[in-house]
Amino acid sequence: MNHVNDKENQNNEVEEMDTQEVETVETPNDAGGGDGGGENRQINGEAQEQNISQDAEMEEDEARSEATFRYTVQNFSKLKESQLSPSCYVRNLPWKIMVMPRTSQTADRQTQRSLGFFLQCNGESESSSWSCYATAELRLLSSKEDTEPFSRKIQHLFYSKENDWGFSHFMSWQEVLESDKQYVKDDSITLEVHVVADAPHGVSWDSKKHTGYVGLKNQGATCYMNSLLQTLYFTNQLRKAVYKMPTESDDSSKSVALALQRVFHELQFSDKPVGTKKLTKSFGWETLDSFMQHDVQEFLRVLLDKLESKMKGTCVEGTVPKLFEGKMVSFIKCKNIDYTSTRVETFYDIQLNIKGKKNIDESFHDYITTEMLDGDNKYDAGEHGLQDAEKGVIFASFPPVLHLHLMRFQYDPITDCSVKFNDRFEFYEKISLETYLQNPEPTRADYTLHAVLVHSGDNHGGHYVVFINPKGDGKWCKFDDDVVSRCTKQEAIDHNYGGHDDDMNMTVKHCTNAYMLVYIRDSEIKNVLQEVTEEDIPQELVERLQEEKRMEQIRRKERNEAHLYMSVQVLLEDSFDGHQGNDLYDPDRALYRIFRVRKQTTLQELLEMLADSLKYPIEQIRPWPFSYRSNQTCRPTLIDIEADLHKTVIDVAENQNPWNVFVEVVPPDSGLQALPSFDKDSDVLLFFKLYDPKTKRIHYCGHHYMPVAAKVQELIPLLNERAGFPPDTELVLYEEIKPNMVERIENYNEPLEKVLEELMDGDIIVFQKDERDVMYDLPTCRDYFKDLFHHVEVTFCDKMIPNDPGFTIDLSQRMTYDQMARAVAQRVGTDPYLLQFFKCQNYKDSPGHPLRCTFEGTLKELLVYCKPKTPKKIFYQQLNIRINELENKKQFKCLWVGPKLKEEKELILYPNKNGTVADLLEEARKQVELSENGSGKLRIFEVNCNKIICGPKEDALLETLNSTGTKSHVLSHGQGNIECGFLVNKESLFNNMTEKLSTSCLGRGSEIEEIPRDELNLAEDEMLVPVAHFYKDIFSTFGIPFVLKVKSGEPFSKVKERLMKKLGIQEKEFEKFKFALVVMGRAQFITDESDYHINLMDFRCNPNQVSASPKPWLGLEHINKAPKRSRFNYLEKAIKIYN
C-alpha cells in the first residue's frame, strides 16, 4: 500500500512504507461539503455511486471520467483487518476504498492507533502494462447534520506496482471515536471518495467507441508531432485538400504527401490507434532527434510549406495560404515630419510573448506596441536625415485558421540553454481581434478556440497532449497519443493556463500548460470544419491504400509464420564461373535462387519443387548441400537420397537455415536422359579449376565423378579436354586443401584415395600447364592462393567530404606505403605525392593522425585500427604541394585584411618549419593582391576577441608561435564580423574549418595586412594605436580591429577624420559613434572631443601591467549592425523535410 505522509500531525509518527510518499494537500473543512449528503445515496455497507456529469451529453457509464462512491464500515470498534469496498467503475477500471487500522509510534515512543484510508485502482489485474492518472478527494463523513466531512486530496499515477494510494494516518483512531463531529454512529463510519481519472493507458480502452475518434501511437521522441497531426487532421478543409494531392506516382517510402494521406485516412476510418513511422521515415530523417532540437513552430512551417508546394498546379492549389495566411503591416512613422515607411508581410502563425503577460489580450497589445526610435537610435529617413520615429506593426488581415505560438520556451543567455516559462497565462474560448486590425475586414475578426496543445514537464523533456474541439461546438476531447477521451471545457482550457492556482492545487501540475493555440474565425467555421466524407477521397488513393494494407497483412502473416519456414538457397554450376577465390563461390556475393519452404516439407516434395521451377525432370537433378568442413572450407556433400527421401527438409539440413545447396543438372547439350549414377562407397565428386599464370586468373572447369581407385593419370586427358589444351599437354596438378594451403600432387600413378588428403566429395583440383622456364609474378597456383590469402578490400574515403562513401580497391596486406599510394593515385587521377593518408582512429569510423610518407610498415599494420567486422577504411586528402615537402612545412591559417577593412579572406600558408615570421609574410605575399601605390610590405598582428594584442617581430621563429593555439575557427563572414583563424601546427592539419561560433571571437588568431606608406616610418612623436569596435560593454567587441597612426598633441578631431576615412562610412552614421580610451579593462570616454589632444603616454603600457594583458586601445562604441543570433540557436541546423 502506498501512502501520503501526514503533515497535519507532526507529533505522530506514521508507519513507514516501502513505497515513495507524495505530498499531502490539506483541504479546508468546507471542501466537498455539497457532497456530504445528497439524494439517491444509500449508506448500507455497500459501495455507492454518484455520477457527476462532465458534459451534458456524456453518458454516466463505466467509461465516465469521475464518480463519487461510499463505503460504510460496520463494527468499526472491532476492525482488525483491512477491508475493501465493492468496485466502482471509472474509465472502465474498478476503483475500491481500502480501509484498515494502523499502529505507529509517536515521538515519545507511545503506540498510537490510526485510521488508514486508501484508494485502490485495478487491484485484481495481473497485467503489468496499465497505468491511469487520477486525482481524488478522500472523505470521512459525519453523521451530524450540516457538518462538513474531514477530507484530504491525493494525485497519483496508478499502475501495477502502485495500485493504491492514500494515507496510513488519515486520522488518529482516538479522534475518529471522540470527535464531536460524530464520525461514528452505531459503531460504523462512512468513507467517501470523489475520483477524477484520465483515460488509462495499456488497457483495452476503446477510443473510437467512447469518442468517435482514434489516437496516434507513441513512436518515442516525436514530442509534439502527434498533437500537431491531430490538429491538422481536424482542420477538415486542409484534410480534404491533402486527400486530393496527386500522389499516384510517388514513392511510397519517401513521399511526405502520401504518408500524410495515409495517416489521415487511417485516423478517419481505423478503429485502432494509428502508427506514424512511415510518415517520419518519409521526412528523410535517420533519427527522431530533429523533433527535440527544433520547436513546433519551425516544424509546422516546414510541413505546411511542403504541402503548399505539393498542391501547386492542382485543383487544391492555394489551400494552405487560404487557410493560414494573414497579413501584417510593419511601419516606421516619423514624429516631426510627414514621412512613413511601410511594408506588408504575410504570416502563417503569430508568436505571442507570455512572460509578464496576464492573458492573450495583453500579449496582442504587446505585439502591436510601438517602439520609439530616438537619441542614438534615430531613423534614417533618407533625404530627411535622422529623425525621431515610431516603429511598430499592425495587422491588415487575420486568416480563417489562426495558429498562436505561446513563447514558453526561450533562450536564456545566462545559462546558455533553453528554459521553459510555466507562468500563468489565460486564454479564452472566444476572442475578438478587431482592435488589432489596421482597418475593419468584411467579416468581424471573432474567433473560437479549436485546439490547445499542452506540454507537461521542463525544457529537457516531458509529455505532449492536445485538447481539440472537433466540431467547434464546445464538446472537447483529449488526445493523449493512442488514447482519446472526452473531457470538460475546464480541463481543456482553464487547467492549461499554467502557474500556481490555489483553487486547483492538486488538479493541475504547475509545469502543465499550453504552448500553442488554434483558433478558427467564426465566419469560416462551417467552411473550415466542413464534413469530410468518403466521396471526398479520390478512388485511386483509396485503392492504393487498400492495396498497401493488403500487402502489409500478407507480410505480417509471413512474419508471424516465419518460424514455420526455412530458405533453401540454390546454386547451379554457372554460379561458379569467374570465382577467383578459395572454394567454389563467394557466399557474400552469390546470386542464389531462393525457395521458401515449410520446414516440414519432405525432401521428395522439395525435389519436385526444384524440378518444376528449374524445368528439368526430377531424374535430371541431384542436390549437393554445402557444408563447412573443420578446415574452414565450404564444399558440396552427398545426400543419401534413398534413405532421406521422406525425411523433412529441416532434418536433412541438420537445422541449417538458410540451407545452401548446389543442384547438379544434366548438361543441356549432353543428350543424357538422366544423371549418371553415383556410388557413394566407390565414387567421389571432384571439381576442377585451371590457373593461368599469365593473366593471374582462375577458370572454373566443371566437375566429374571419379572412382576412388582411379589413378591421377586418368584425369590428365579429361582436364586437357576441359581446358581446351592438346591431349598430350603436360599438366601440373595441385589439391586446394584450405585457404593458403595448396599442395602439389606428385605421384600420378597412385590412386586418388592415396594421393588426395582425406579424399571427400567436393575436393578441388587446380591444374596448370607445366611451364618451368617461363617467368611470371605468380608462377604457380600455390603462389596465387598465397597472394590471395593476403588480399583485402580497402575503402578509401576523402577526409574533406563529410560521410564520403569513398571507393573500394582490392589490395595486398603486404603492400608498402608507396604501392598503396600509387594504387589510390591511379584511381583518383593524381600524383601519388599529392595524396596524404590518415589511419582510422582506434575502433572509430573517423580519421586519426596523418600518415608520414616515410612509413615503413605494410598495409596490414594500417588496418589494425579499423573497427572489427566492418569494411576496412583509410582516409585520404588531395594536396596542393607534395607530401614530402608538406612534412617539412608548418601550416598557418591567417586572415588577410585589405586597406578598406572589408576585403578579407583566409590564407592557408606553408612556410618551412624552421622559418621565421618574415618567411610567413613572404608566403602570404604570393597569395594576395597588393595595392598599386602601396608600400609592398606586410605585417602580422595577433588578434584576440576582435582586439589587436601585438604582432610578432619578423625575425621571430615560427616554432615560438605555437602558443597561439592549435585549433582553427572560422566565424560567420558578414557586415561587422571578423573571420579569424588560429596559427596552427601540423598536428591540426586540415582540421574542420566550418565550426560555427557566436559573433564574438572566442580565441586568438592572426591578421595580415599591407603596411600603408604613411606608417612605414614613424617619427618619435608618432605611434600606431590599436582600435576596436564595441557596443555598451568593452568586452562585447566585434568587427575587424585595426591600427591607426596618431601624433602627439594633435587634436582628436583630426583623428576622427582619419577614422571616418579609414572605415569608409557616411558622416551621419559616424555621428552616432562614441570614443573611449580603454586601459586595463576600463573605458574612459572622451566626452569633450574638442578639448582632447592626443597624449602618447595614454597609449603606452603601464609598467605594472601583466605582459599578457592588451595594451591600451581606442574603442569605437556603436551598434553592431551585423545580424545577431544567440549561440544556442546559432548552433542549431535548420529543420528540413528532405522528401
Side-chain angles (χ1 to χ4, degrees):
M1 281 159 299
N2 308 285
H3 68 281
V4 179
N5 194 17
D6 186 358
K7 299 284 182 71
E8 189 176 71
N9 297 282
Q10 297 288 350
N11 297 328
N12 301 328
E13 290 189 4
V14 181
E15 178 184 348
E16 287 187 20
M17 308 299 291
D18 41 310
T19 56
Q20 74 176 73
E21 300 178 354
V22 297
E23 185 178 349
T24 300
V25 177
E26 299 295 348
T27 306
N29 280 344
D30 59 353
D35 295 328
E39 295 180 6
N40 302 325
R41 293 194 187 181
Q42 303 169 4
I43 310 176
N44 300 319
E46 298 180 2
Q48 309 296 327
E49 302 180 2
Q50 178 198 16
N51 297 335
I52 300 178
S53 174
Q54 56 180 326
D55 238 333
E57 294 184 10
M58 194 165 183
E59 295 179 353
E60 298 184 31
D61 58 8
E62 294 182 352
R64 61 196 160 186
S65 64
E66 60 182 305
T68 302
F69 62 104
R70 296 179 179 179
Y71 178 63
T72 298
V73 181
Q74 307 287 359
N75 302 316
F76 175 67
S77 60
K78 299 178 181 178
L79 183 65
K80 303 291 184 188
E81 303 292 334
S82 63
Q83 288 188 18
L84 282 172
S85 72
S87 299
C88 168
Y89 279 83
V90 176
R91 297 296 193 188
N92 288 347
L93 294 177
W95 300 77
K96 298 180 180 181
I97 291 173
M98 179 188 289
V99 60
M100 65 194 71
R102 305 296 296 241
T103 56
S104 60
Q105 284 190 337
T106 61
D108 55 0
R109 297 188 178 277
Q110 296 294 318
T111 300
Q112 176 182 265
R113 200 175 184 201
S114 310
L115 175 66
F117 187 177
F118 297 84
L119 175 62
Q120 185 192 77
C121 174
N122 206 20
E124 296 176 7
S125 172
E126 296 181 359
S127 168
S128 60
S129 61
W130 68 274
S131 65
C132 182
Y133 177 80
T135 61
E137 186 171 7
L138 280 54
R139 304 165 182 156
L140 174 60
L141 303 184
S142 170
S143 59
K144 190 175 179 181
E145 289 186 12
D146 300 325
T147 301
E148 300 298 335
F150 177 79
S151 63
R152 290 186 172 185
K153 291 183 178 180
I154 61 169
Q155 62 175 355
H156 183 57
L157 179 67
F158 293 85
Y159 63 102
S160 60
K161 291 185 178 179
E162 291 183 359
N163 60 14
D164 57 69
W165 203 252
F167 301 89
S168 295
H169 182 89
F170 183 76
M171 179 183 278
S172 72
W173 201 268
Q174 200 63 30
E175 286 179 298
V176 176
L177 294 175
E178 298 179 359
S179 173
D180 57 355
K181 295 186 179 180
Q182 297 181 15
Y183 294 124
V184 182
K185 181 180 181 182
D186 299 331
D187 200 20
S188 65
I189 61 169
T190 300
L191 303 172
E192 183 178 78
V193 168
H194 176 68
V195 59
V196 180
D198 287 349
H201 288 261
V203 294
S204 55
W205 173 263
D206 190 337
S207 297
K208 191 86 168 185
K209 173 185 173 183
H210 298 306
T211 66
Y213 310 112
V214 296
L216 292 165
K217 293 176 184 175
N218 187 336
Q219 192 178 329
T222 50
C223 301
Y224 45 75
M225 188 186 76
N226 283 359
S227 298
L228 197 60
L229 289 176
Q230 292 282 16
T231 304
L232 295 177
Y233 169 79
F234 283 106
T235 309
N236 294 0
Q237 192 176 351
L238 176 69
R239 191 199 326 167
K240 188 180 285 190
V242 165
Y243 283 145
K244 292 180 179 177
M245 291 188 298
T247 55
E248 301 85 12
S249 58
D250 287 13
D251 185 328
S252 61
S253 64
K254 293 182 179 179
S255 170
V256 174
L258 178 59
L260 197 61
Q261 288 175 333
R262 187 186 296 116
V263 169
F264 281 5
H265 189 267
E266 290 189 33
L267 283 174
Q268 186 164 348
F269 297 105
S270 176
D271 293 328
K272 296 179 180 178
V274 176
T276 58
K277 285 187 178 179
K278 288 183 180 178
L279 178 63
T280 51
K281 185 180 178 183
S282 73
F283 294 159
W285 299 340
E286 293 180 7
T287 62
L288 297 177
D289 61 352
S290 289
F291 289 110
M292 294 182 280
Q293 292 177 3
H294 304 280
D295 60 25
V296 63
Q297 180 188 28
E298 188 177 8
F299 176 73
L300 178 58
R301 285 181 181 178
V302 172
L303 183 58
L304 289 178
D305 182 61
K306 204 76 186 173
L307 296 179
E308 187 176 350
S309 299
K310 187 69 177 177
M311 291 177 185
K312 282 182 180 175
T314 71
C315 62
V316 288
E317 180 176 0
T319 299
V320 171
K322 180 182 175 184
L323 280 172
F324 303 104
E325 185 179 278
K327 291 181 179 172
M328 64 174 73
V329 179
S330 300
F331 64 86
I332 300 178
K333 184 177 182 180
C334 294
K335 302 286 287 182
N336 303 318
I337 61 171
D338 185 17
Y339 181 83
T340 303
S341 171
T342 61
R343 184 174 74 253
V344 178
E345 300 173 349
T346 61
F347 65 87
Y348 276 14
D349 50 54
I350 300 172
Q351 277 190 306
L352 294 181
N353 184 23
I354 59 120
K355 188 68 176 171
K357 305 294 178 285
K358 182 181 177 183
N359 54 40
I360 198 169
D361 291 323
E362 288 190 9
S363 288
F364 265 103
H365 278 295
D366 176 66
Y367 198 93
I368 64 169
T369 299
T370 57
E371 173 191 356
M372 295 304 300
L373 303 179
D374 54 17
D376 292 339
N377 199 27
K378 287 185 178 180
Y379 173 60
D380 184 356
E383 61 184 24
H384 302 291
L386 297 175
Q387 296 286 335
D388 288 345
E390 188 179 38
K391 177 183 177 183
V393 295
I394 190 74
F395 292 99
S397 65
F398 287 111
V401 181
L402 182 61
H403 287 161
L404 301 179
H405 295 281
L406 310 184
M407 296 170 65
R408 290 203 176 272
F409 299 92
Q410 295 185 28
Y411 173 69
D412 181 3
I414 298 175
T415 60
D416 191 27
C417 65
S418 176
V419 295
K420 183 185 178 189
F421 297 123
N422 289 306
D423 306 31
R424 181 178 175 85
F425 179 81
E426 296 179 5
F427 50 92
Y428 313 110
E429 185 180 20
K430 300 278 187 180
I431 59 171
S432 176
L433 303 180
E434 283 288 306
T435 56
Y436 311 113
L437 282 168
Q438 186 179 34
N439 298 304
E441 293 187 80
T443 60
R444 284 186 58 79
D446 295 336
Y447 283 83
T448 297
L449 186 61
H450 183 239
V452 182
L453 284 77
V454 174
H455 175 259
S456 298
D458 59 17
N459 60 299
H460 298 298
H463 189 59
Y464 294 80
V465 300
V466 60
F467 295 86
I468 298 178
N469 175 13
K471 297 181 180 178
D473 55 3
K475 296 174 183 175
W476 290 83
C477 288
K478 178 181 179 181
F479 294 79
D480 184 356
D481 289 330
D482 57 326
V483 173
V484 187
S485 57
R486 294 277 181 192
C487 68
T488 63
K489 195 179 295 181
Q490 184 185 33
E491 286 178 274
I493 302 176
D494 301 8
H495 289 185
N496 295 310
Y497 290 159
H500 293 288
D501 191 330
D502 294 335
D503 295 333
M504 290 191 292
N505 43 34
M506 296 195 77
T507 310
V508 184
K509 294 178 182 176
H510 167 55
C511 60
T512 297
N513 37 57
Y515 64 90
M516 178 178 167
L517 307 173
V518 179
Y519 281 91
I520 298 179
R521 198 167 186 142
D522 289 352
S523 58
E524 293 286 340
I525 276 190
K526 288 185 179 179
N527 191 29
V528 173
L529 300 183
Q530 60 187 276
E531 187 180 1
V532 183
T533 64
E534 290 188 57
E535 287 69 34
D536 294 315
I537 308 172
Q539 189 59 32
E540 314 87 71
L541 175 62
V542 174
E543 290 173 359
R544 178 170 185 172
L545 296 177
Q546 287 175 345
E547 178 62 16
E548 277 186 4
K549 189 157 285 187
R550 189 183 70 82
M551 294 303 296
E552 279 181 12
Q553 289 172 348
I554 292 173
R555 285 194 291 269
R556 189 179 298 115
K557 182 182 178 184
E558 288 178 353
R559 286 196 299 270
N560 293 338
E561 296 179 352
H563 64 288
L564 301 175
Y565 288 82
M566 64 180 287
S567 293
V568 179
Q569 301 188 148
V570 170
L571 288 174
L572 300 183
E573 196 155 25
D574 57 6
S575 302
F576 306 152
D577 289 333
H579 177 58
Q580 297 299 305
N582 294 107
D583 294 332
L584 297 172
Y585 73 104
D586 184 345
D588 296 327
R589 297 183 178 181
L591 298 175
Y592 300 103
R593 300 186 186 203
I594 300 176
F595 295 84
R596 187 168 179 265
V597 299
R598 293 183 72 90
K599 293 178 179 178
Q600 299 306 311
T601 300
T602 64
L603 182 58
Q604 172 76 40
E605 292 168 335
L606 175 63
L607 291 175
E608 291 171 357
M609 185 188 302
L610 294 176
D612 181 61
S613 175
L614 299 174
K615 303 293 187 278
Y616 280 90
I618 197 166
E619 62 272 10
Q620 292 186 5
I621 67 172
R622 181 173 290 144
W624 297 86
F626 285 97
S627 69
Y628 283 91
R629 298 180 178 179
S630 58
N631 63 0
Q632 302 172 5
T633 60
C634 179
R635 305 288 175 81
T637 55
L638 177 70
I639 290 182
D640 189 346
I641 292 183
E642 291 183 4
D644 296 342
L645 201 58
H646 300 292
K647 286 186 178 179
T648 61
V649 176
I650 193 67
D651 288 338
V652 177
E654 296 178 342
N655 291 315
Q656 289 183 59
N657 187 12
W659 189 34
N660 294 348
V661 178
F662 162 51
V663 175
E664 181 188 9
V665 298
V666 169
D669 54 353
S670 67
L672 298 175
Q673 297 302 311
L675 284 170
S677 61
F678 182 85
D679 188 324
K680 64 178 181 177
D681 297 318
S682 61
D683 291 338
V684 65
L685 172 66
L686 297 179
F687 291 87
F688 307 113
K689 296 179 182 179
L690 167 65
Y691 173 61
D692 182 355
K694 186 176 181 179
T695 60
K696 292 185 280 192
R697 289 190 65 79
I698 294 285
H699 301 278
Y700 177 70
C701 291
H703 69 280
H704 194 69
Y705 301 163
M706 290 292 291
V708 295
K711 293 180 180 180
V712 177
Q713 185 66 42
E714 297 175 34
L715 288 173
I716 301 297
L718 174 66
L719 296 179
N720 277 327
E721 182 187 347
R722 296 279 178 95
F725 297 156
D728 57 349
T729 304
E730 291 189 25
L731 300 178
V732 183
L733 275 58
Y734 296 83
E735 181 187 3
E736 182 186 323
I737 299 173
K738 65 178 183 179
N740 202 26
M741 188 173 180
V742 178
E743 296 295 338
R744 181 169 177 171
I745 300 174
E746 299 289 353
N747 193 344
Y748 292 1
N749 293 316
E750 292 286 338
L752 291 171
E753 58 187 340
K754 286 188 178 181
V755 173
L756 300 185
E757 184 178 309
E758 298 181 14
L759 183 62
M760 297 173 67
D761 292 319
D763 280 357
I764 298 173
I765 291 178
V766 187
F767 66 98
Q768 65 183 90
K769 284 183 180 179
D770 189 356
E771 299 175 301
R772 301 175 187 174
D773 300 330
V774 185
M775 298 299 294
Y776 294 109
D777 283 348
L778 302 172
T780 70
C781 65
R782 180 186 291 170
D783 299 314
Y784 171 84
F785 280 109
K786 188 173 183 180
D787 181 70
L788 178 70
F789 183 73
H790 292 285
H791 267 233
V792 62
E793 287 188 343
V794 183
T795 300
F796 290 89
C797 302
D798 191 330
K799 178 177 177 286
M800 305 306 290
I801 302 176
N803 302 317
D804 179 31
F807 55 88
T808 302
I809 309 180
D810 189 10
L811 302 175
S812 171
Q813 296 185 68
R814 296 181 291 182
M815 267 187 171
T816 63
Y817 174 91
D818 286 340
Q819 290 172 321
M820 176 186 74
R822 282 198 298 271
V824 176
Q826 184 178 0
R827 179 66 179 266
V828 175
T830 187
D831 188 317
Y833 281 92
L834 293 180
L835 291 173
Q836 184 177 34
F837 296 95
F838 301 82
K839 294 180 287 189
C840 270
Q841 290 191 40
N842 283 0
Y843 300 107
K844 290 184 182 177
D845 201 14
S846 56
H849 293 304
L851 191 65
R852 297 185 68 84
C853 66
T854 55
F855 176 72
E856 295 180 354
T858 62
L859 178 59
K860 183 177 181 179
E861 294 170 50
L862 299 179
L863 300 177
V864 297
Y865 300 101
C866 296
K867 290 172 70 175
K869 297 182 180 179
T870 59
K872 306 298 183 185
K873 190 175 288 187
I874 290 178
F875 292 87
Y876 74 94
Q877 70 174 0
Q878 299 191 53
L879 304 175
N880 294 321
I881 63 173
R882 293 171 70 85
I883 181 67
N884 52 344
E885 294 177 19
L886 177 68
E887 290 178 355
N888 292 317
K889 293 181 179 290
K890 219 179 178 70
Q891 185 200 46
F892 288 87
K893 293 181 183 177
C894 309
L895 179 71
W896 168 253
V897 179
K900 297 296 184 184
L901 302 179
K902 291 179 181 175
E903 314 126 40
E904 69 271 353
K905 68 175 182 178
E906 187 182 58
L907 303 179
I908 301 179
L909 308 174
Y910 296 96
N912 289 327
K913 280 183 181 178
N914 53 0
T916 63
V917 170
D919 298 324
L920 180 68
L921 295 176
E922 190 58 36
E923 287 291 319
R925 189 191 305 277
K926 298 174 185 176
Q927 296 190 28
V928 300
E929 188 176 337
L930 302 177
S931 306
E932 284 187 17
N933 301 315
S935 66
K937 291 192 173 183
L938 304 182
R939 64 187 173 197
I940 185 169
F941 291 118
E942 187 178 334
V943 176
N944 188 8
C945 293
N946 304 81
K947 298 190 293 288
I948 286 177
I949 306 301
C950 62
K953 295 182 180 179
E954 288 197 3
D955 59 355
L957 294 174
L958 293 179
E959 62 187 21
T960 64
L961 303 184
N962 280 347
S963 60
T964 56
T966 60
K967 190 174 183 181
S968 166
H969 294 284
V970 176
L971 298 175
S972 61
H973 196 118
Q975 183 183 0
N977 283 349
I978 183 169
E979 181 169 324
C980 165
F982 286 172
L983 292 172
V984 299
N985 58 25
K986 66 179 175 68
E987 306 295 331
S988 58
L989 194 62
F990 298 105
N991 269 340
N992 180 4
M993 294 158 47
T994 57
E995 181 179 350
K996 295 180 179 178
L997 302 174
S998 64
T999 54
S1000 295
C1001 179
L1002 298 181
R1004 305 173 74 159
S1006 298
E1007 185 178 284
I1008 293 178
E1009 65 180 18
E1010 184 178 7
I1011 305 175
R1013 280 184 174 276
D1014 63 340
E1015 295 180 8
L1016 275 175
N1017 299 303
L1018 299 177
E1020 289 186 5
D1021 61 346
E1022 292 177 335
M1023 177 187 248
L1024 294 179
V1025 173
V1027 183
H1029 307 265
F1030 73 97
Y1031 181 56
K1032 292 187 178 179
D1033 186 340
I1034 59 167
F1035 299 105
S1036 299
T1037 48
F1038 62 91
I1040 301 176
F1042 57 95
V1043 293
L1044 184 75
K1045 186 176 79 171
V1046 297
K1047 187 179 178 71
S1048 180
E1050 73 172 323
F1052 191 68
S1053 57
K1054 287 192 174 182
V1055 176
K1056 286 177 59 179
E1057 288 176 13
R1058 290 203 302 280
L1059 279 170
M1060 187 171 73
K1061 183 179 179 181
K1062 192 172 184 80
L1063 293 170
I1065 57 177
Q1066 299 295 319
E1067 184 176 354
K1068 58 185 177 183
E1069 185 70 24
F1070 194 65
E1071 288 176 0
K1072 301 177 184 178
F1073 281 46
K1074 293 180 183 177
F1075 306 90
L1077 179 62
V1078 183
V1079 182
M1080 298 184 70
R1082 293 185 180 180
Q1084 302 168 14
F1085 281 91
I1086 301 172
T1087 51
D1088 194 347
E1089 298 173 2
S1090 58
D1091 287 349
Y1092 180 70
H1093 289 69
I1094 294 296
N1095 181 354
L1096 297 186
M1097 293 303 296
D1098 291 343
F1099 294 97
R1100 298 193 192 280
C1101 290
N1102 189 310
N1104 300 323
Q1105 187 173 339
V1106 179
S1107 59
S1109 302
K1111 61 187 291 188
W1113 52 282
L1114 179 63
L1116 311 182
E1117 200 262 357
H1118 60 100
I1119 294 174
N1120 178 10
K1121 293 192 174 181
K1124 296 174 185 172
R1125 197 171 179 191
S1126 67
R1127 275 189 67 201
F1128 178 79
N1129 290 326
Y1130 195 78
L1131 290 166
E1132 287 185 357
K1133 295 178 182 176
I1135 194 168
K1136 288 182 180 178
I1137 295 177
Y1138 293 98
N1139 298 311

